Coordinates of all heavy atoms in Angstrom, one line a residue:
M1 N 20.2 -32.8 20.8 CA 20.4 -31.4 21.3 C 19.7 -30.5 20.4 O 19.9 -30.5 19.2 CB 21.8 -31.1 21.5 CG 22.0 -29.8 22.0 SD 23.8 -29.3 22.1 CE 24.1 -29.4 23.8
T2 N 18.8 -29.6 20.9 CA 18.1 -28.7 20.1 C 18.9 -27.4 20.1 O 19.3 -26.9 21.2 CB 16.7 -28.5 20.6 OG1 16.0 -29.7 20.6 CG2 16.0 -27.5 19.8
A3 N 19.1 -26.8 18.9 CA 19.8 -25.5 18.9 C 18.8 -24.4 19.3 O 17.7 -24.4 19.1 CB 20.2 -25.2 17.4
E4 N 19.4 -23.4 20.0 CA 18.7 -22.3 20.5 C 18.4 -21.3 19.3 O 19.4 -21.0 18.6 CB 19.3 -21.6 21.6 CG 19.4 -22.5 22.9 CD 20.0 -21.7 24.0 OE1 20.0 -20.5 24.1 OE2 20.6 -22.4 24.9
I5 N 17.3 -20.8 19.1 CA 17.0 -19.8 18.1 C 17.1 -18.5 18.7 O 16.5 -18.2 19.6 CB 15.5 -20.1 17.5 CG1 15.5 -21.5 16.9 CG2 15.3 -19.1 16.5 CD1 14.1 -21.9 16.5
K6 N 18.0 -17.6 18.0 CA 18.2 -16.3 18.4 C 17.0 -15.4 18.0 O 16.8 -15.4 16.7 CB 19.6 -15.7 18.1 CG 20.7 -16.5 18.8 CD 21.9 -15.8 18.6 CE 23.0 -16.4 19.4 NZ 24.3 -15.7 19.4
D7 N 16.5 -14.6 18.8 CA 15.4 -13.7 18.4 C 16.1 -12.3 18.1 O 16.8 -11.8 18.9 CB 14.5 -13.5 19.6 CG 13.3 -12.7 19.3 OD1 13.3 -12.0 18.3 OD2 12.3 -12.7 20.1
P8 N 15.9 -11.8 16.9 CA 16.5 -10.6 16.5 C 16.0 -9.4 17.2 O 16.7 -8.4 17.3 CB 16.2 -10.4 15.0 CG 15.0 -11.3 14.8 CD 15.0 -12.4 15.8
N9 N 14.9 -9.6 17.9 CA 14.3 -8.4 18.6 C 13.7 -8.9 19.9 O 12.4 -9.1 20.0 CB 13.3 -7.7 17.8 CG 13.1 -6.3 18.1 OD1 13.8 -5.7 19.0 ND2 12.2 -5.6 17.4
P10 N 14.5 -9.2 20.9 CA 14.0 -9.8 22.2 C 12.9 -8.9 22.8 O 13.1 -7.7 22.9 CB 15.2 -10.0 23.1 CG 16.3 -9.9 22.2 CD 15.9 -9.1 21.0
E11 N 11.8 -9.5 23.2 CA 10.7 -8.7 23.7 C 10.6 -8.5 25.2 O 10.2 -7.5 25.8 CB 9.3 -9.3 23.2 CG 9.2 -9.2 21.7 CD 7.9 -9.8 21.2 OE1 7.0 -9.9 22.0 OE2 7.9 -10.1 20.0
T12 N 10.9 -9.6 25.9 CA 10.8 -9.6 27.4 C 12.2 -9.3 28.0 O 13.2 -9.6 27.4 CB 10.2 -10.8 28.0 OG1 11.1 -11.9 27.8 CG2 8.9 -11.1 27.3
P13 N 12.2 -8.9 29.3 CA 13.5 -8.8 30.0 C 14.2 -10.1 30.0 O 15.5 -10.1 29.8 CB 13.1 -8.3 31.4 CG 11.8 -7.6 31.2 CD 11.1 -8.4 30.1
A14 N 13.6 -11.2 30.2 CA 14.2 -12.5 30.2 C 14.8 -12.8 28.9 O 16.0 -13.3 28.8 CB 13.2 -13.6 30.6
D15 N 14.1 -12.5 27.8 CA 14.7 -12.7 26.4 C 15.9 -11.9 26.2 O 16.9 -12.4 25.6 CB 13.6 -12.4 25.4 CG 12.5 -13.4 25.4 OD1 12.6 -14.6 25.7 OD2 11.4 -13.0 25.0
R16 N 15.9 -10.6 26.6 CA 17.0 -9.7 26.5 C 18.2 -10.2 27.2 O 19.4 -10.2 26.7 CB 16.7 -8.3 26.9 CG 15.7 -7.6 25.9 CD 15.5 -6.1 26.2 NE 14.7 -5.9 27.3 CZ 13.4 -5.8 27.3 NH1 12.8 -5.9 26.1 NH2 12.7 -5.5 28.4
C17 N 18.1 -10.7 28.5 CA 19.2 -11.3 29.2 C 19.7 -12.5 28.6 O 21.0 -12.7 28.4 CB 18.8 -11.5 30.6 SG 18.6 -10.1 31.6
I18 N 18.9 -13.4 28.1 CA 19.3 -14.6 27.5 C 20.1 -14.4 26.3 O 21.1 -14.9 26.0 CB 18.1 -15.6 27.3 CG1 17.6 -16.1 28.7 CG2 18.5 -16.8 26.4 CD1 16.2 -16.7 28.6
E19 N 19.6 -13.5 25.5 CA 20.2 -13.1 24.2 C 21.6 -12.6 24.4 O 22.6 -12.9 23.8 CB 19.3 -12.2 23.4 CG 19.8 -11.8 22.1 CD 19.9 -12.9 21.0 OE1 19.1 -13.8 21.1 OE2 20.7 -12.7 20.1
A20 N 21.6 -11.5 25.3 CA 22.9 -10.9 25.6 C 24.0 -11.8 26.1 O 25.2 -11.6 25.7 CB 22.7 -9.7 26.7
F21 N 23.6 -12.8 26.9 CA 24.6 -13.7 27.5 C 25.0 -14.8 26.5 O 25.8 -15.7 26.8 CB 24.2 -14.3 28.8 CG 24.4 -13.3 29.9 CD1 23.7 -12.3 30.3 CD2 25.6 -13.5 30.7 CE1 23.9 -11.4 31.3 CE2 26.0 -12.7 31.8 CZ 25.1 -11.6 32.1
G22 N 24.2 -14.9 25.4 CA 24.5 -16.0 24.4 C 23.7 -17.2 24.5 O 24.1 -18.3 24.0
G23 N 22.6 -17.1 25.2 CA 21.7 -18.3 25.3 C 21.5 -18.8 26.7 O 22.1 -18.2 27.6
I24 N 20.5 -19.7 26.9 CA 20.1 -20.1 28.2 C 21.2 -20.9 28.9 O 21.5 -20.6 30.1 CB 18.9 -21.2 27.9 CG1 17.7 -20.3 27.5 CG2 18.7 -21.9 29.3 CD1 16.6 -21.2 27.1
R25 N 21.9 -21.7 28.3 CA 23.0 -22.4 29.0 C 24.2 -21.4 29.4 O 24.7 -21.5 30.5 CB 23.6 -23.5 28.1 CG 22.6 -24.7 27.9 CD 23.3 -25.7 26.9 NE 22.3 -26.6 26.4 CZ 21.8 -27.6 27.0 NH1 22.1 -27.9 28.2 NH2 20.9 -28.3 26.4
A26 N 24.5 -20.5 28.6 CA 25.5 -19.5 28.9 C 25.2 -18.6 30.1 O 25.9 -18.4 31.0 CB 25.9 -18.7 27.7
L27 N 23.9 -18.2 30.1 CA 23.4 -17.4 31.2 C 23.4 -18.3 32.6 O 23.8 -17.8 33.5 CB 22.0 -16.8 30.9 CG 21.4 -16.0 32.0 CD1 22.3 -14.8 32.5 CD2 20.0 -15.4 31.5
A28 N 22.9 -19.5 32.4 CA 22.9 -20.4 33.5 C 24.3 -20.6 34.1 O 24.4 -20.6 35.4 CB 22.2 -21.7 33.1
R29 N 25.3 -20.8 33.3 CA 26.6 -20.9 33.7 C 27.1 -19.7 34.4 O 27.8 -19.8 35.5 CB 27.6 -21.3 32.6 CG 27.6 -22.8 32.2 CD 28.7 -23.1 31.3 NE 28.6 -22.3 30.0 CZ 28.0 -22.8 28.9 NH1 27.3 -23.9 28.9 NH2 28.0 -22.0 27.8
A30 N 26.8 -18.6 33.9 CA 27.2 -17.2 34.5 C 26.7 -17.0 35.8 O 27.4 -16.6 36.7 CB 26.9 -16.1 33.5
L31 N 25.5 -17.6 36.1 CA 24.8 -17.3 37.3 C 24.8 -18.6 38.2 O 24.4 -18.6 39.4 CB 23.3 -17.1 37.0 CG 22.9 -15.8 36.3 CD1 21.4 -15.8 36.0 CD2 23.3 -14.6 37.2
D32 N 25.6 -19.6 37.8 CA 25.7 -20.8 38.5 C 24.4 -21.4 38.9 O 24.1 -21.7 40.0 CB 26.6 -20.6 39.7 CG 27.1 -21.9 40.3 OD1 27.3 -22.9 39.6 OD2 27.3 -21.9 41.6
R33 N 23.5 -21.5 37.8 CA 22.2 -22.0 37.9 C 21.9 -23.1 37.0 O 22.6 -23.3 36.0 CB 21.1 -20.9 37.7 CG 21.1 -19.7 38.5 CD 20.4 -20.0 39.8 NE 20.5 -18.9 40.7 CZ 19.7 -18.6 41.6 NH1 18.5 -19.2 41.7 NH2 19.9 -17.5 42.5
N34 N 20.9 -23.9 37.3 CA 20.5 -25.0 36.3 C 19.8 -24.3 35.2 O 19.0 -23.4 35.3 CB 19.6 -25.9 37.0 CG 19.3 -27.1 36.2 OD1 18.8 -27.1 35.1 ND2 19.6 -28.3 36.8
P35 N 20.1 -24.7 33.9 CA 19.3 -24.1 32.8 C 17.9 -24.1 32.8 O 17.2 -23.2 32.4 CB 19.9 -24.8 31.6 CG 21.2 -25.4 32.0 CD 21.1 -25.7 33.5
S36 N 17.3 -25.1 33.5 CA 15.9 -25.2 33.7 C 15.3 -24.1 34.4 O 14.2 -23.6 34.2 CB 15.4 -26.5 34.3 OG 15.9 -26.6 35.6
S37 N 16.1 -23.5 35.3 CA 15.6 -22.4 36.1 C 15.5 -21.1 35.2 O 14.6 -20.3 35.4 CB 16.5 -22.0 37.3 OG 17.7 -21.6 37.0
I38 N 16.4 -21.0 34.3 CA 16.4 -19.9 33.3 C 15.3 -20.0 32.4 O 14.5 -19.1 32.0 CB 17.7 -19.8 32.5 CG1 18.9 -19.7 33.5 CG2 17.8 -18.6 31.6 CD1 19.0 -18.6 34.4
V39 N 15.0 -21.3 32.0 CA 13.8 -21.6 31.0 C 12.5 -21.1 31.7 O 11.6 -20.6 31.0 CB 13.8 -23.1 30.6 CG1 12.5 -23.4 29.9 CG2 15.0 -23.4 29.7
R40 N 12.4 -21.3 32.9 CA 11.2 -20.9 33.6 C 10.9 -19.5 33.6 O 9.8 -19.0 33.7 CB 11.2 -21.4 35.1 CG 10.9 -22.9 35.3 CD 10.6 -23.2 36.7 NE 11.7 -22.9 37.6 CZ 12.7 -23.9 37.8 NH1 12.6 -25.1 37.3 NH2 13.7 -23.6 38.7
W41 N 11.9 -18.6 33.4 CA 11.7 -17.2 33.3 C 10.8 -16.9 32.1 O 10.0 -15.9 32.1 CB 13.0 -16.4 33.1 CG 13.9 -16.5 34.1 CD1 13.7 -17.2 35.3 CD2 15.2 -15.9 34.2 NE1 15.0 -17.0 36.1 CE2 15.8 -16.2 35.4 CE3 15.9 -15.1 33.3 CZ2 17.1 -15.8 35.7 CZ3 17.2 -14.6 33.6 CH2 17.8 -15.0 34.8
R42 N 10.8 -17.7 31.1 CA 10.0 -17.5 29.8 C 8.5 -18.1 29.9 O 7.8 -17.7 29.2 CB 10.7 -18.1 28.7 CG 11.9 -17.3 28.2 CD 12.4 -18.0 27.0 NE 13.4 -17.1 26.3 CZ 14.3 -17.5 25.4 NH1 14.4 -18.8 25.1 NH2 15.1 -16.6 24.9
K43 N 8.3 -19.0 30.9 CA 7.1 -19.6 31.1 C 6.1 -18.7 31.7 O 6.4 -17.8 32.4 CB 7.2 -20.9 31.8 CG 8.0 -22.0 31.1 CD 7.9 -23.3 31.9 CE 8.6 -24.4 31.1 NZ 8.5 -25.6 31.8
S44 N 4.8 -19.0 31.4 CA 3.8 -18.2 32.0 C 3.7 -18.5 33.5 O 4.1 -19.5 34.0 CB 2.4 -18.5 31.4 OG 2.0 -19.8 31.8
K45 N 3.1 -17.5 34.2 CA 2.9 -17.7 35.7 C 2.1 -18.9 36.0 O 2.3 -19.7 37.0 CB 2.3 -16.5 36.3 CG 3.3 -15.3 36.3 CD 2.9 -14.2 37.2 CE 3.9 -13.1 37.0 NZ 4.5 -12.7 38.2
D46 N 1.1 -19.3 35.1 CA 0.3 -20.5 35.3 C 1.1 -21.7 35.2 O 0.7 -22.7 35.8 CB -0.9 -20.5 34.3 CG -2.0 -19.4 34.5 OD1 -2.0 -18.9 35.7 OD2 -2.7 -19.0 33.5
D47 N 2.2 -21.7 34.4 CA 3.0 -22.8 34.3 C 4.2 -22.8 35.2 O 5.2 -23.6 35.0 CB 3.5 -22.9 32.8 CG 2.4 -23.3 31.8 OD1 1.4 -24.1 32.3 OD2 2.5 -22.9 30.7
G48 N 4.2 -22.0 36.2 CA 5.2 -22.0 37.2 C 6.4 -21.1 36.9 O 7.5 -21.1 37.4
G49 N 6.2 -20.2 35.8 CA 7.4 -19.3 35.4 C 7.2 -17.9 35.9 O 6.3 -17.6 36.7
S50 N 7.9 -17.0 35.3 CA 7.8 -15.6 35.7 C 7.3 -14.7 34.6 O 7.5 -13.5 34.6 CB 9.2 -15.1 36.2 OG 10.2 -15.2 35.2
A51 N 6.8 -15.4 33.5 CA 6.2 -14.6 32.5 C 7.0 -13.6 31.8 O 6.7 -12.4 31.5 CB 4.9 -13.9 32.9
G52 N 8.4 -13.9 31.6 CA 9.3 -13.0 31.0 C 10.1 -12.1 31.8 O 10.9 -11.3 31.4
A53 N 9.7 -12.1 33.1 CA 10.4 -11.2 34.1 C 11.7 -11.9 34.6 O 11.7 -13.1 34.7 CB 9.5 -10.9 35.3
V54 N 12.7 -11.1 34.9 CA 13.9 -11.6 35.5 C 13.7 -11.4 37.0 O 13.3 -10.4 37.5 CB 15.1 -10.9 35.0 CG1 16.4 -11.2 35.8 CG2 15.4 -10.9 33.6
P55 N 14.0 -12.6 37.8 CA 13.7 -12.5 39.2 C 14.5 -11.3 39.8 O 15.7 -11.1 39.5 CB 14.2 -13.8 39.7 CG 14.1 -14.7 38.5 CD 14.4 -13.9 37.4
S56 N 13.9 -10.6 40.7 CA 14.5 -9.4 41.3 C 15.7 -9.7 42.0 O 16.6 -9.0 42.1 CB 13.4 -8.6 42.2 OG 13.0 -9.5 43.2
G57 N 15.8 -10.9 42.6 CA 17.0 -11.3 43.5 C 18.2 -11.5 42.6 O 19.3 -11.5 43.1
L58 N 18.1 -11.6 41.2 CA 19.2 -11.9 40.4 C 19.6 -10.7 39.5 O 20.6 -10.7 38.8 CB 18.9 -13.0 39.5 CG 18.8 -14.4 40.1 CD1 18.4 -15.5 39.1 CD2 20.1 -14.8 40.7
Q59 N 18.8 -9.6 39.6 CA 18.9 -8.4 38.7 C 20.3 -7.8 38.9 O 21.0 -7.5 38.0 CB 17.8 -7.5 38.7 CG 16.5 -8.1 38.2 CD 15.3 -7.1 38.2 OE1 15.4 -6.0 38.7 NE2 14.2 -7.7 37.9
G60 N 20.6 -7.5 40.2 CA 21.9 -6.8 40.4 C 23.1 -7.7 39.9 O 24.1 -7.2 39.4
R61 N 23.0 -9.0 40.2 CA 24.1 -9.9 39.7 C 24.2 -10.0 38.2 O 25.3 -9.9 37.7 CB 23.8 -11.3 40.3 CG 24.9 -12.2 40.2 CD 24.7 -13.4 41.1 NE 25.7 -14.5 40.7 CZ 25.4 -15.7 40.8 NH1 24.3 -16.2 41.4 NH2 26.3 -16.7 40.5
I62 N 23.1 -10.0 37.6 CA 23.1 -10.0 36.1 C 23.7 -8.6 35.6 O 24.5 -8.7 34.7 CB 21.7 -10.2 35.6 CG1 21.2 -11.7 35.8 CG2 21.6 -9.9 34.1 CD1 19.8 -11.9 35.5
L63 N 23.3 -7.6 36.2 CA 23.8 -6.2 35.8 C 25.4 -6.2 35.9 O 26.1 -5.7 35.1 CB 23.2 -5.1 36.5 CG 21.8 -4.8 36.1 CD1 21.2 -3.8 37.0 CD2 21.7 -4.4 34.6
A64 N 25.9 -6.7 37.1 CA 27.3 -6.7 37.4 C 28.0 -7.6 36.4 O 29.1 -7.2 35.9 CB 27.6 -7.1 38.8
L65 N 27.5 -8.8 36.1 CA 28.1 -9.7 35.2 C 28.1 -9.1 33.8 O 29.1 -9.3 33.0 CB 27.4 -11.0 35.2 CG 27.7 -11.9 36.4 CD1 26.7 -13.1 36.5 CD2 29.1 -12.4 36.4
A66 N 27.0 -8.5 33.4 CA 26.9 -7.9 32.1 C 28.0 -6.8 31.9 O 28.6 -6.7 30.9 CB 25.5 -7.4 31.8
Q67 N 28.2 -6.0 33.0 CA 29.1 -4.9 32.9 C 30.5 -5.5 32.8 O 31.3 -5.0 31.9 CB 29.0 -4.0 34.1 CG 29.9 -2.8 34.0 CD 29.7 -1.9 35.2 OE1 29.1 -2.2 36.2 NE2 30.2 -0.7 35.1
E68 N 30.8 -6.5 33.6 CA 32.1 -7.1 33.6 C 32.5 -7.6 32.2 O 33.6 -7.6 31.7 CB 32.3 -8.3 34.5 CG 32.3 -7.9 35.9 CD 32.2 -9.1 36.8 OE1 32.4 -10.2 36.4 OE2 32.0 -9.0 38.1
R69 N 31.5 -8.2 31.5 CA 31.7 -8.8 30.2 C 31.4 -7.9 29.0 O 31.5 -8.3 27.8 CB 30.7 -10.0 30.1 CG 31.0 -11.0 31.1 CD 29.9 -12.1 31.2 NE 30.2 -13.0 32.3 CZ 30.1 -14.3 32.2 NH1 29.6 -14.9 31.0 NH2 30.4 -15.1 33.1
G70 N 31.0 -6.6 29.3 CA 30.9 -5.7 28.2 C 29.6 -5.9 27.4 O 29.5 -5.5 26.2
L71 N 28.6 -6.4 28.0 CA 27.3 -6.7 27.4 C 26.4 -5.5 27.6 O 26.5 -4.7 28.5 CB 26.6 -7.9 28.0 CG 27.4 -9.2 28.0 CD1 26.7 -10.3 28.8 CD2 27.9 -9.6 26.7
G72 N 25.5 -5.3 26.6 CA 24.6 -4.2 26.6 C 23.4 -4.3 27.4 O 22.3 -3.9 27.0
I73 N 23.5 -4.7 28.7 CA 22.3 -5.0 29.5 C 22.3 -3.8 30.5 O 23.3 -3.6 31.1 CB 22.3 -6.3 30.2 CG1 22.1 -7.4 29.2 CG2 21.2 -6.3 31.3 CD1 20.8 -7.6 28.6
T74 N 21.1 -3.1 30.6 CA 21.1 -2.0 31.6 C 19.9 -2.3 32.5 O 19.1 -3.2 32.3 CB 20.7 -0.6 30.9 OG1 19.4 -0.8 30.2 CG2 21.8 -0.4 29.8
A75 N 19.8 -1.5 33.5 CA 18.6 -1.8 34.6 C 17.3 -1.6 33.8 O 16.3 -2.2 34.1 CB 18.8 -0.7 35.6
E76 N 17.3 -0.7 32.8 CA 16.0 -0.5 32.0 C 15.6 -1.8 31.3 O 14.4 -2.0 31.0 CB 16.1 0.6 31.1 CG 16.2 2.0 31.8 CD 17.6 2.4 32.4 OE1 18.6 1.8 31.8 OE2 17.7 3.0 33.3
D77 N 16.6 -2.6 30.9 CA 16.3 -3.8 30.2 C 15.6 -4.9 31.1 O 15.0 -5.8 30.6 CB 17.6 -4.4 29.6 CG 18.2 -3.5 28.5 OD1 17.4 -3.0 27.7 OD2 19.4 -3.5 28.5
L78 N 15.9 -4.8 32.4 CA 15.4 -5.7 33.3 C 14.1 -5.3 33.8 O 13.3 -6.0 34.4 CB 16.4 -6.0 34.5 CG 17.8 -6.4 34.1 CD1 18.7 -6.5 35.2 CD2 17.8 -7.7 33.3

């Protein structure tokens, strides 16, 4: 098992969400998704990812979960 490395200054919306929720697996659990789908957010579009963007269909859910959990994610972060 590889440990996730925390970025002290997340650059993309995907990175900010992953960091705020405590990692890929934690965010995947919160969204009831497979961790591999979260990993794809970081991949380039050429590799089938979203190039750091958070899918628009999940943004509202992420914001609601972040608010419930007291995480510092805002609409501007997404």
Side-chain angles (χ1 to χ4, degrees):
M1 177 187 253
T2 304
E4 293 180 32
I5 298 172
K6 291 190 176 190
D7 186 346
N9 209 0
E11 295 182 18
T12 68
D15 291 332
R16 287 190 286 275
C17 285
I18 291 166
E19 180 71 22
F21 277 84
I24 291 169
R25 293 178 197 278
L27 179 55
R29 276 192 300 273
L31 295 172
D32 196 28
R33 299 279 174 150
N34 190 302
S36 65
S37 69
I38 307 301
V39 168
R40 280 194 297 271
W41 297 359
R42 288 181 164 165
K43 290 186 177 187
S44 70
K45 292 195 181 232
D46 290 340
D47 289 333
S50 62
V54 175
S56 59
L58 293 174
Q59 291 178 6
R61 189 164 167 209
I62 288 170
L63 288 172
L65 287 168
Q67 185 176 15
E68 287 173 14
R69 296 166 184 227
L71 304 177
I73 294 289
T74 64
E76 291 79 30
D77 292 321
L78 302 179

